[in-house]
Amino acid sequence: MRRSLVVAAVLLALAFVLVGGPSMLLSLSTGQTASEGSAAPTSATTDRPAPDLVTFEDSESGFWQYLSPSKEFRKRSPINVVVRGDVADIERVLTEADGGDWSELNESEEAAGPDTYAIFGGNASGNETGPDNGTADNDSLPNATNATNGSPSNASDDNRTESEPARGRLPDLDWGEADGGVRYAYVDPGPNESGYWTTETLQLEDGTYYGQRYHIRLYESPNADDDWVAMQTHSEHFDWFTLRHRVHGSQAAQRKVESDFMAHPGVDVQDDVSRIYLDNSNSADADGWATVVELAGMVILPTLVGVRARRRDASASSEAEHPDQFSQRTAAAIDDHLTDVDRRRIAAAVDRLEAGHFLLAAVIVSLLLGVRAGGIFLERQASFLTPHQIAAVLYPVIGLGIPTATYLIARGLTRRLDAAVVAAGSLAVAIWIDYGTLGVDALPVEVVVQRMLVVVALGLIAGGAAKRAARDSRLNDMLVVGTAMWVLVLAGTLFGYF
């Protein structure tokens, strides 16, 4: 029992060192990307006026600088791009120009919820780019009166009802019912008319559903004569452990959209692209500045398709200066600080390594990264499968395949601590490789905790399967606790607790 407690303590320390610590130190927005489900909603039916709106000198209409998951003033997703032009021209620039990777979201993706959703129930918390600011922020913003102006965009669930048949293929799953599926923008037509909440005019994506993608929601002016389109852009990735799309930032997507417009031959970089301060920096990594692109008056002809200016980022060439010199200096510094005792301990640890340790590490890393690659492959090649069905095929590899393979391989290892450390360390490394390939640099606190728990659980399973732990009974305390912990953490995740 005492040995089991020592192994558990080592695994907890390892999980913090490899997952928790780096996540909280390197992820500058960790505390800010917390889910928004706990926000205290405010009433949208009071007589108090709407907050100040963003307007332009030559337009009567305006918009609030945030999106909201409901028809109430909750600071969630910051508007970070405004284009002075027509929606059709914007779509043409982003989707039809040579090298343009943007495309419209298809119905099955919308049904699964383009931001965050749970596989069971409808209790998953939305995780767009906005944190829960608490009641203080909500109370500081007066609410607007609901307006009934007959606008067809005032319907709240149009996208969801159109996609209902896609969800029906898996009747036991309740995909798409979480808060993150819909975002409302508050727009005001101007004098003598009432403002109202509206859903998006168009959604565009660039990337893969089961990998990483940039996502844009576009909201056009309520007045035909006012040429502006407010856009909310963000980066998101599919989290295979939680079966949700997680939004991990907005600045990278904003820069992507900005550079795509700047690369168009009809856009003058100096005169047509600028930034304005909207003071909506309280969400994820948003800095409160929005990109403004002037397309009004331009003629975006289909004949321009295939003509695109090529620009290169000059800073890219300096990213990896002298890697060999850096590695040599690092190795020398480590060697200088090692004592004779440290060297003997390292040598003893190396002598204990078995072929099974390397096999265990390779299998864990391969399974986790293989699920990511498999999801992207099926998304691209198996168009007959819905996102729900792809997840149903691949998720068992995470939930059952990884712990089962860990147990079977660890049974051939001798020392329980070695098996536990290798399994836990390999899963942590696989998680970081996965996030690194996706470009994820911000995580919610609950996701960091969940990753630490699964790392510890897998380590306990491996330690409990090792020969010295199983010599009295294969069903030992470490194996039972590790298995129960793995099941409870993943089940809690599926039911929305992470």
Side-chain angles (χ1 to χ4, degrees):
M1 181 66 179
R2 187 178 66 178
R3 187 64 175 173
S4 300
L5 293 176
V6 171
V7 173
V10 171
L11 290 176
L12 285 171
L14 186 68
F16 180 80
V17 170
L18 295 182
V19 180
S23 298
M24 295 178 184
L25 290 174
L26 299 179
S27 178
L28 299 180
S29 300
T30 301
Q32 294 179 309
T33 51
S35 61
E36 65 190 14
S38 59
T42 56
S43 173
T45 59
T46 65
D47 294 330
R48 290 182 292 177
D52 291 337
L53 304 180
V54 179
T55 59
F56 300 95
E57 291 183 358
D58 56 349
S59 300
E60 293 184 344
S61 58
F63 61 89
W64 188 46
Q65 63 264 45
Y66 293 93
L67 303 183
S68 177
S70 57
K71 296 180 181 180
E72 52 198 17
F73 292 101
R74 301 167 66 185
K75 295 181 179 180
R76 288 299 178 265
S77 310
I79 298 294
N80 52 10
V81 178
V82 181
V83 180
R84 304 301 309 277
D86 183 76
V87 170
D89 288 342
I90 296 171
E91 183 179 10
R92 190 173 296 118
V93 169
L94 294 177
T95 63
E96 295 184 5
D98 181 32
D101 298 323
W102 296 94
S103 60
E104 290 192 52
L105 289 176
N106 61 53
E107 287 187 357
S108 60
E109 289 182 349
E110 289 182 308
D115 301 307
T116 178
Y117 52 87
I119 190 170
F120 295 116
N123 60 343
S125 58
N127 188 36
E128 182 83 0
T129 52
D132 177 10
N133 297 308
T135 56
D137 283 342
N138 288 330
D139 291 341
S140 64
L141 279 175
N143 297 310
T145 305
N146 278 346
T148 55
N149 60 353
S151 172
S153 59
N154 215 22
S156 60
D157 295 316
D158 291 344
N159 292 336
R160 220 172 273 171
T161 56
E162 291 175 0
S163 308
E164 199 68 39
R167 292 203 303 271
R169 297 188 182 184
L170 293 178
D172 294 333
L173 304 182
D174 194 15
W175 296 65
E177 295 299 329
D179 293 338
V182 177
R183 287 294 182 270
Y184 297 96
Y186 184 82
V187 296
D188 189 344
N192 303 321
E193 295 189 64
S194 299
Y196 60 92
W197 295 96
T198 178
T199 53
E200 69 276 351
T201 306
L202 179 69
Q203 293 190 62
L204 297 174
E205 65 172 346
D206 179 2
T208 56
Y209 186 79
Y210 281 109
Q212 185 268 353
R213 71 177 181 180
Y214 301 110
H215 182 200
I216 309 176
R217 286 188 175 94
L218 301 91
Y219 301 79
E220 62 182 335
S221 166
N223 298 339
D225 296 334
D226 294 342
D227 281 332
W228 59 257
V229 177
M231 301 163 61
Q232 202 288 316
T233 70
H234 57 263
S235 307
E236 60 190 32
H237 67 278
F238 188 82
D239 188 334
W240 275 104
F241 273 100
T242 62
L243 290 178
R244 291 177 175 86
H245 258 127
R246 295 281 182 182
V247 174
H248 55 262
S250 60
Q251 283 197 26
Q254 180 181 355
R255 290 192 297 267
K256 163 70 174 171
V257 174
E258 187 177 76
S259 62
D260 283 355
F261 278 111
M262 293 171 66
H264 194 276
V267 175
D268 188 298
V269 176
Q270 298 296 327
D271 297 333
D272 296 336
V273 181
S274 60
R275 287 199 174 190
I276 59 174
Y277 188 64
L278 298 186
D279 193 21
N280 54 359
S281 59
N282 70 323
S283 302
D285 62 347
D287 59 4
W289 289 85
T291 300
V292 179
V293 180
E294 296 286 345
L295 288 186
M298 289 178 52
V299 180
I300 309 298
L301 298 176
T303 54
L304 290 177
V305 175
V307 180
R308 181 171 180 171
R310 303 293 181 180
R311 294 178 173 85
R312 303 297 181 186
D313 190 350
S315 62
S317 60
S318 60
E319 287 183 354
E321 266 188 80
H322 309 296
D324 293 337
Q325 295 180 9
F326 176 77
S327 60
Q328 291 173 4
R329 289 196 302 269
T330 303
I334 294 174
D335 187 66
D336 292 341
H337 287 82
L338 288 177
T339 65
D340 292 338
V341 175
D342 294 331
R343 291 187 176 89
R344 286 196 296 270
R345 289 175 176 172
I346 293 174
V350 172
D351 291 339
R352 292 204 306 265
L353 288 177
E354 307 173 32
H357 291 128
F358 297 100
L359 177 62
L360 178 61
V363 168
I364 292 174
V365 173
S366 298
L367 287 177
L368 183 59
L369 300 183
V371 168
R372 174 72 64 192
I376 296 173
F377 175 80
L378 291 177
E379 175 188 347
R380 291 174 172 172
Q381 304 299 327
S383 57
F384 55 90
L385 293 176
T386 66
H388 324 62
Q389 293 166 334
I390 293 175
V393 169
L394 293 178
Y395 182 73
V397 178
I398 298 284
L400 298 176
I402 290 179
T404 301
T406 298
Y407 172 78
L408 294 176
I409 297 174
R411 285 195 308 176
L413 302 178
T414 303
R415 297 174 179 267
R416 68 196 85 179
L417 180 60
D418 295 351
V421 169
V422 169
S426 300
L427 182 59
V429 169
I431 290 171
W432 278 111
I433 294 175
D434 185 38
Y435 282 146
T437 57
L438 298 176
V440 176
D441 54 8
L443 293 171
V445 173
E446 64 267 22
V447 173
V448 176
V449 173
Q450 195 256 16
R451 293 299 184 275
M452 291 177 61
L453 293 178
V454 296
V455 164
V456 172
L458 192 67
L460 290 175
I461 291 173
K467 293 178 181 178
R468 290 190 178 178
R471 55 191 170 190
D472 296 329
S473 172
R474 290 197 177 275
L475 198 63
N476 54 75
D477 53 355
M478 277 197 296
L479 183 62
V480 171
V481 172
T483 302
M485 188 176 177
W486 181 272
V487 172
L488 289 175
V489 170
L490 292 190
T493 298
L494 296 181
F495 283 99
Y497 292 102
F498 290 98

